[in-house]
């Protein structure tokens, strides 16, 4: 749902809720649209506040859909209307868009109150509003001399940072190690995680990058060289902005100078802060006076970015007396039946702030827990429900399919393409255009057509030591032998590629052999490609899931040619973090990872793969903390739904699609967070269909007549 539409709808529902509540005596007009808990948060520390904590620290626990943004904007506006200097208010958010929206709402509320009152109000606007990084950039330039910075420093984006790090990696000879050294993106991720989580390299590797633990000493050498290079060039990366601010606040005299700039500090989405950000904030307001943070521990889902749920759980105890906690429980988004299920899921958390979301939106429709035979039947179920809701008047844009990991939608993307259902995808990679999937398809395309130089050029450069020049010479050699793949064996490649070259030649000859059946070829390619996937790309374990899905999709086609042709002519239409929109006048479905869906809402939500191993992910069950974050992920996904929620549980996941009549599958137990106390809150549906081969299993026959179309096409241009 578009942000503007959501804001208008939220405003209407809050106003409706206000009219349905008894009038509160003495409530300022600009706060009359808030419910009691929201008003308590807005007036904390001002004349209307009756709490003994006065202007002490405030923690607002804002449940999903509880009007968090509206409440925080009203708190800022009420501070201004109560006499606070807007130029001395600091508002920290996690996106530039959120800062702009918060400031805009605040200005609107203040302007409206001024128009209704003769009471003088401080003029001006909140000038210190932005992300942690943006505010850090401003403060560091003010105090550059004190921390040894050139005030004209420049800031590197992530791509530039990775390139600079890679230059040091190469200069130190780490790219030429005998065993695989982490690539630049992984090195930057390790560096960033260590900085933001305030952990040593060893701790960071053990907790978040265990496959790189053997490189701790080398990585520290690399990071020192990286820091030296940045300082020589007077550049900072994103992490440096926070790190320099942290060290600025570690010096008592400088911390006092920075702190005296502000009377009030407000922080949005506090559950998403990391250790570095929390340390900055506590140094900015050590006694907590004038400090307000808002967030929801139940929506803390970014540990992979070094965010820590401990920041919000431990916030009150950092102060004496402890911070006041105001809890927002009224939900303006979902029906009560959906909230009942959401509440039951999060009540199983081992540690949390107690809250129970409630809504004035009643409904007899409970959320649906659909049990299906396998992933293929899951796709069928979801597509049919999407079309049913569309026929019932729910536009595609108001429906969303949520996934734990990007590759969980691979089968669905192909089916949506077949059904001509347009969609955009947020989070993860576009399936058929992801580099590793294109590598696999390139191998199959080259085997199908040895003259396909585009595919061959890509495949050859997968080998270590093979660049464009060596690839070009190999293709020229193949052309001189009439594109007979057997000639590849006699071509000499660089020594670094010798072993891989022999195995590639063997693979290509096997794929080209008519005696090698189509079913099983993708498995052969995956086996050869596996080591190269780990060498070439970061997060290989995640990308490997895409390749497994590719193998399953391929098994539904009778021939290699049909598989390659149909995917090329009618590919799924999504991409990276944001797929290119279909035509502007079209409706389109939303596909999104749960992480990318946070803060969004839709009328209908479909949650795929509600099975242990997928939710929680089998990659995130190594510690109680990881399991608890997976529970919160499920909660976030469920609370995105306004009217209808479909949670789908495939009973089995096939290891090899062509063996679907055998035992090559894994039974998938229901997500552990949907226990006996939660299941009764769902409507149960069992949806299983008998498997059938269908017409796709029949290969087309050969025609007796032969036409030389190639000659005719060439003659068109004589």
């Amino acid at each position: 749902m578009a942000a503007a539409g959501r804001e208008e709808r939220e405003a209407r529902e809050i106003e409706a809720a206000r009219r349905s509540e008894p009038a509160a005596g003495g409530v300022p007009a600009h706060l009359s649209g808030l419910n009691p808990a929201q008003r308590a948060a807005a007036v904390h520390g001002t004349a209307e506040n009756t709490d003994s904590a006065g202007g002490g620290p405030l923690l607002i626990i804002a449940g999903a859909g509880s009007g968090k943004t509206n409440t925080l904007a009203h708190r800022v506006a009420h501070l201004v209307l109560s006499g606070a200097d807007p130029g001395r208010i600091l508002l920290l958010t996690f996106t530039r868009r959120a800062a702009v929206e918060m400031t805009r709402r605040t200005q609107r509320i203040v302007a409206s109150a001024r128009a209704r009152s003769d009471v003088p109000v401080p003029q001006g606007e909140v000038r210190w509003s932005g992300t942690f990084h943006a505010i850090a950039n401003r403060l560091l330039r003010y105090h550059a001399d004190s921390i040894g910075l050139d005030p004209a420093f420049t800031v590197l984006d992530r791509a530039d940072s990775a390139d600079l790090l890679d230059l040091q990696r190469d200069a130190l000879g780490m790219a030429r190690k005998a065993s695989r050294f982490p690539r630049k993106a992984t090195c930057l991720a390790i560096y960033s995680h260590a900085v933001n989580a305030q952990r040593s390299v060893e701790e960071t590797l053990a907790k978040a990058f265990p496959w790189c633990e053997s490189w701790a000493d080398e990585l520290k050498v690399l990071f020192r060289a990286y820091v030296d290079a940045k300082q020589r060039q007077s550049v900072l990366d994103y992490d440096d902005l926070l790190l320099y601010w942290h060290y600025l606040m570690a010096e008592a005299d400088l911390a006092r100078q920075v702190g005296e700039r502000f009377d009030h500090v407000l922080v949005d989405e506090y559950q998403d802060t990391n250790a570095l950000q929390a340390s900055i904030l506590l140094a900015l307001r050590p006694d907590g006076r004038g400090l307000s943070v808002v967030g929801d521990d139940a929506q803390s889902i970014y540990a992979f970015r070094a965010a820590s749920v401990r920041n919000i759980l431990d916030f009150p105890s950092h102060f004496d007396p402890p911070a006041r906690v105001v809890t927002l429980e009224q939900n303006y988004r979902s029906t009560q039946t959906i909230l009942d299920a959401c509440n039951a899921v999060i009540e199983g958390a081992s540690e949390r702030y107690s809250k129970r979301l409630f809504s004035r939106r009643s409904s007899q429709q409970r959320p649906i827990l659909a049990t299906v035979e396998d992933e293929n039947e899951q796709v069928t179920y979801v597509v049919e429900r999407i079309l049913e809701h569309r026929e019932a008047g729910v536009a595609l844009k108001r429906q969303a399919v949520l996934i734990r990991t990007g590759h969980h939608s691979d089968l669905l993307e192909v089916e949506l393409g077949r059904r001509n259902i347009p969609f955009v995808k947020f989070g993860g990679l576009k399936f058929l255009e992801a580099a590793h999937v294109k590598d696999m398809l390139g191998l199959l395309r080259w085997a199908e057509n040895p003259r396909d130089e585009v595919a061959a050029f890509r495949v050859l450069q997968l080998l270590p030591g093979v660049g464009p020049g060596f690839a070009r010479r190999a293709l020229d050699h193949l052309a001189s032998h009439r594109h007979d793949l057997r000639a590849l064996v006699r071509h000499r490649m660089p020594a670094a590629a010798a072993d891989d070259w022999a195995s590639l030649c063997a693979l290509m000859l096997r794929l080209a052999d008519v005696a090698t059946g189509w079913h099983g070829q993708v498995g052969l390619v995956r086996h050869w490609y596996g080591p190269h996937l780990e060498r070439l790309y970061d997060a290989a374990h995640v990308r490997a899931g895409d390749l497994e899905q590719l193998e399953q999709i391929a098994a539904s086609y009778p021939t290699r040619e049909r598989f390659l042709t149909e995917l090329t002519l009618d590919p799924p239409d999504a991409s990276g973090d944001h797929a290119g929109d279909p035509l502007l006048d079209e409706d389109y479905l939303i596909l999104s990872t749960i992480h990318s869906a946070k803060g969004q809402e839709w009328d209908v939500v479909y949650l795929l793969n509600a099975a242990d191993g997928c939710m929680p992910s089998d990659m995130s069950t190594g510690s109680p903390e990881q399991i608890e974050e997976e529970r919160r992920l499920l909660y976030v996904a469920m609370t995105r739904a306004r009217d209808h929620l479909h949670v789908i549980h495939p009973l089995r996941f096939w290891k090899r699609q062509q063996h679907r009549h055998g035992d090559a599958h894994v039974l998938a137990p229901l997500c552990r967070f949907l226990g006996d106390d939660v299941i009764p809150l769902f409507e149960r549906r069992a949806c299983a269909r008998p498997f059938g081969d269908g017409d796709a299993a029949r290969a087309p026959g050969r025609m007796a007549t032969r036409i030389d179309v190639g000659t005719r096409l060439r003659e068109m241009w004589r």
Side-chain angles (χ1 to χ4, degrees):
M1 180 178 290
R6 184 171 66 252
E7 293 159 11
E8 292 173 3
R9 190 268 310 153
E10 182 184 89
R12 288 196 302 271
E13 291 181 354
I14 289 175
E15 177 61 20
R18 182 192 66 78
R19 289 196 299 267
S20 66
E21 293 172 351
V27 175
H30 64 276
L31 300 180
S32 62
L34 303 183
N35 65 44
Q38 291 172 329
R39 282 198 296 270
V43 303
H44 173 79
T46 63
E48 291 81 3
N49 176 58
T50 58
D51 186 82
S52 59
L58 170 68
L59 170 60
I60 305 171
I61 296 296
S66 62
K68 168 182 68 69
T69 302
N70 193 52
T71 302
L72 192 56
H74 275 82
R75 172 154 180 74
V76 176
H78 188 68
L79 289 172
V80 173
L81 293 168
S82 298
D85 180 352
R88 296 180 56 80
I89 293 176
L90 172 61
L91 177 59
L92 291 165
T93 64
F94 270 80
T95 65
R96 179 180 177 277
R97 180 179 174 278
V100 171
E101 167 59 19
M102 201 81 70
T103 303
R104 183 179 65 82
R105 285 199 191 193
T106 298
Q107 290 172 340
R108 188 173 61 212
I109 296 166
V110 170
S112 177
R114 282 187 182 133
R116 293 194 300 262
S117 173
D118 294 329
V119 178
V121 175
Q123 297 297 312
E125 59 185 42
V126 178
R127 299 192 308 273
W128 287 88
S129 173
T131 66
F132 272 87
H133 294 87
I135 297 300
N137 179 62
R138 291 177 63 183
L139 287 172
L140 294 182
R141 294 187 191 279
Y142 277 119
H143 299 276
D145 288 342
S146 300
I147 51 178
L149 275 178
D150 180 345
F153 66 82
T154 56
V155 180
L156 301 174
D157 63 21
R158 287 295 182 189
D160 289 336
S161 300
D163 288 342
L164 180 57
L165 188 61
D166 202 34
L167 287 174
Q168 313 314 310
R169 179 177 175 271
D170 186 65
L172 292 168
M174 293 175 177
R176 298 181 293 278
K177 293 286 185 181
S179 57
R180 179 172 60 103
F181 189 78
R183 292 173 67 84
K184 64 179 183 181
T186 301
C187 291
L188 184 61
I190 294 168
Y191 173 86
S192 182
H193 199 285
V195 168
N196 287 286
Q198 292 287 276
R199 295 193 183 105
S200 68
V201 170
E202 289 83 359
E203 291 174 313
T204 296
L205 295 178
K207 189 171 183 67
F209 302 87
W211 60 92
C212 300
E213 282 189 278
S214 62
W215 295 110
D217 291 339
E218 290 83 354
L219 284 167
K220 285 189 281 189
V221 171
L222 173 61
F223 295 158
R224 281 195 295 272
Y226 175 54
V227 170
D228 286 342
K230 288 185 293 182
Q231 292 179 355
R232 284 195 307 271
Q233 299 175 34
S234 190
V235 296
L236 274 64
D237 62 21
Y238 285 167
D239 302 315
D240 287 333
L241 292 171
L242 297 184
L243 200 55
Y244 273 86
W245 190 5
H246 166 75
Y247 283 116
L248 176 67
M249 302 305 294
E251 185 65 38
D253 202 38
L254 295 174
R256 180 182 51 77
Q257 291 181 43
V258 176
E260 287 176 350
R261 287 182 177 272
F262 310 110
D263 296 327
H264 298 276
V265 179
L266 301 98
V267 186
D268 192 17
E269 302 286 7
Y270 192 65
Q271 78 280 347
D272 294 335
T273 55
N274 56 47
L276 190 58
Q277 290 163 327
S279 70
I280 291 169
L281 195 66
L282 294 176
L284 194 62
R285 278 290 180 276
D287 62 357
R289 291 197 62 81
L291 176 61
S292 303
V293 303
V294 60
D296 183 5
D297 57 298
Q299 297 185 69
S300 178
I301 59 173
Y302 292 116
F304 68 95
R305 295 179 184 168
S308 174
V309 70
R310 298 297 338 161
N311 287 350
I312 193 167
L313 290 175
D314 298 340
F315 180 81
S317 63
H318 285 299
F319 309 100
D320 186 19
R324 181 188 182 192
V325 180
V326 174
T327 304
L328 309 184
E329 296 177 295
Q330 183 170 353
N331 178 284
Y332 295 95
R333 174 186 300 154
S334 306
T335 62
Q336 188 61 52
T337 50
I338 290 175
L339 292 180
D340 288 341
C342 297
N343 287 331
V345 166
I346 204 62
E347 281 173 4
S350 60
E351 187 176 4
R352 67 188 183 92
Y353 286 101
S354 178
K355 62 179 174 297
R356 189 164 186 83
L357 299 181
F358 68 92
S359 172
R360 298 182 184 278
R361 300 187 63 231
S362 61
S363 173
Q364 297 301 310
Q365 175 62 63
R366 289 179 292 169
I368 293 168
L369 177 58
T371 303
V372 297
E373 183 70 25
D374 59 14
E375 291 175 282
N376 293 285
E377 293 305 316
Q378 175 175 245
V379 167
T380 299
Y381 174 87
V382 169
V383 172
E384 289 179 352
R385 299 295 87 73
I386 288 169
L387 295 176
E388 284 178 6
H389 283 297
R390 181 175 178 272
E391 288 301 310
V394 182
L396 294 177
K397 287 183 182 179
R398 289 157 52 198
Q399 304 185 53
V401 179
L402 302 187
I403 48 180
R404 170 63 181 86
T405 304
H407 69 79
H408 284 179
S409 65
D410 292 348
L411 292 173
L412 178 62
E413 290 180 40
V414 173
E415 185 63 18
L416 291 172
R418 287 175 173 172
R419 300 272 196 123
N420 195 29
I421 300 175
F423 65 93
V424 294
K425 184 177 181 182
F426 296 84
L429 295 168
K430 181 176 181 180
F431 179 46
L432 293 183
E433 291 192 5
H436 51 293
V437 175
K438 290 176 73 67
D439 292 344
M440 287 272 290
L441 293 176
L443 284 155
L444 293 169
R445 285 173 51 200
W446 193 20
E448 182 68 17
N449 175 18
R451 295 175 180 270
D452 188 337
E453 291 194 359
V454 173
F457 204 66
R458 183 183 192 97
V459 169
L460 289 170
Q461 292 184 86
L462 296 176
L463 304 180
V466 176
F470 278 109
R472 183 71 265 166
R473 286 193 285 275
L475 292 180
D476 290 342
H477 173 80
L478 185 62
S480 69
H481 290 78
R482 300 176 183 270
H483 295 94
D484 184 348
L485 292 174
R486 291 173 295 184
L488 291 174
V489 179
R490 299 190 296 275
H491 182 68
R492 177 164 297 195
M493 296 293 271
D499 292 339
D500 293 308
W501 177 242
S503 63
L504 174 62
C505 291
L507 172 68
M508 296 306 299
L509 290 175
R510 190 169 179 186
L511 293 176
D513 189 346
V514 293
T516 304
W518 160 234
H519 293 302
Q521 287 190 21
V522 180
L524 294 174
V525 173
R526 278 183 63 201
H527 178 74
W528 179 86
Y529 181 64
H532 300 283
L533 177 69
E534 294 188 0
R535 176 175 58 83
L536 293 167
Y537 302 111
D538 304 307
H541 62 286
V542 175
R543 295 172 186 261
D546 289 334
L547 305 185
E548 188 173 6
Q549 291 290 339
L550 185 68
E551 186 171 4
Q552 293 185 12
I553 293 169
S556 65
Y557 290 86
T559 66
R560 183 172 63 200
E561 177 276 326
R562 283 277 298 277
F563 168 66
L564 294 170
T565 301
E566 291 193 20
L567 284 189
T568 301
L569 293 177
D570 194 19
D573 198 14
S575 68
D577 288 333
H578 182 193
D581 285 354
L583 297 178
L584 293 178
D585 60 345
E586 285 185 339
D587 193 12
Y588 50 87
L589 179 71
I590 303 298
L591 305 186
S592 176
T593 60
I594 300 172
H595 288 98
S596 296
K598 186 170 173 289
Q600 304 298 314
E601 62 180 48
W602 296 275
D603 290 358
V604 186
V605 167
Y606 310 86
L607 177 60
L608 301 190
N609 293 342
D612 256 45
C614 297
M615 177 65 71
S617 167
D618 54 8
M619 303 296 296
S620 300
T621 55
S623 68
E625 293 80 12
Q626 288 180 317
I627 293 173
E628 285 304 303
E629 178 151 322
E630 292 291 302
R631 180 192 300 276
R632 297 193 292 268
L633 266 173
L634 175 61
Y635 175 80
V636 167
M638 292 172 61
T639 53
R640 301 308 97 195
R642 282 177 45 77
D643 302 314
H644 301 277
L645 173 63
H646 298 259
V647 177
I648 305 98
H649 169 221
L651 286 171
R652 65 187 73 194
F653 291 81
W654 297 96
K655 289 186 175 181
R656 295 291 183 270
Q657 189 86 348
Q658 63 267 30
H659 295 157
R660 62 197 296 177
H661 295 291
D663 294 324
H665 65 268
V666 176
L667 292 177
L670 180 64
C671 169
R672 69 186 70 180
F673 308 130
L674 300 176
D676 293 340
D677 55 333
V678 180
I679 288 178
L681 301 171
F682 285 83
E683 175 186 324
R684 300 296 302 274
R685 290 187 185 176
C687 311
R689 301 183 181 186
F691 293 123
D693 292 332
D695 294 335
R698 294 193 293 270
R702 290 183 175 272
M703 302 296 291
T705 305
R706 295 174 62 86
I707 305 173
D708 189 356
V709 176
T711 299
R712 297 184 184 184
L713 292 178
R714 291 193 299 275
E715 290 177 347
M716 287 174 59
W717 308 104
R718 290 187 183 278

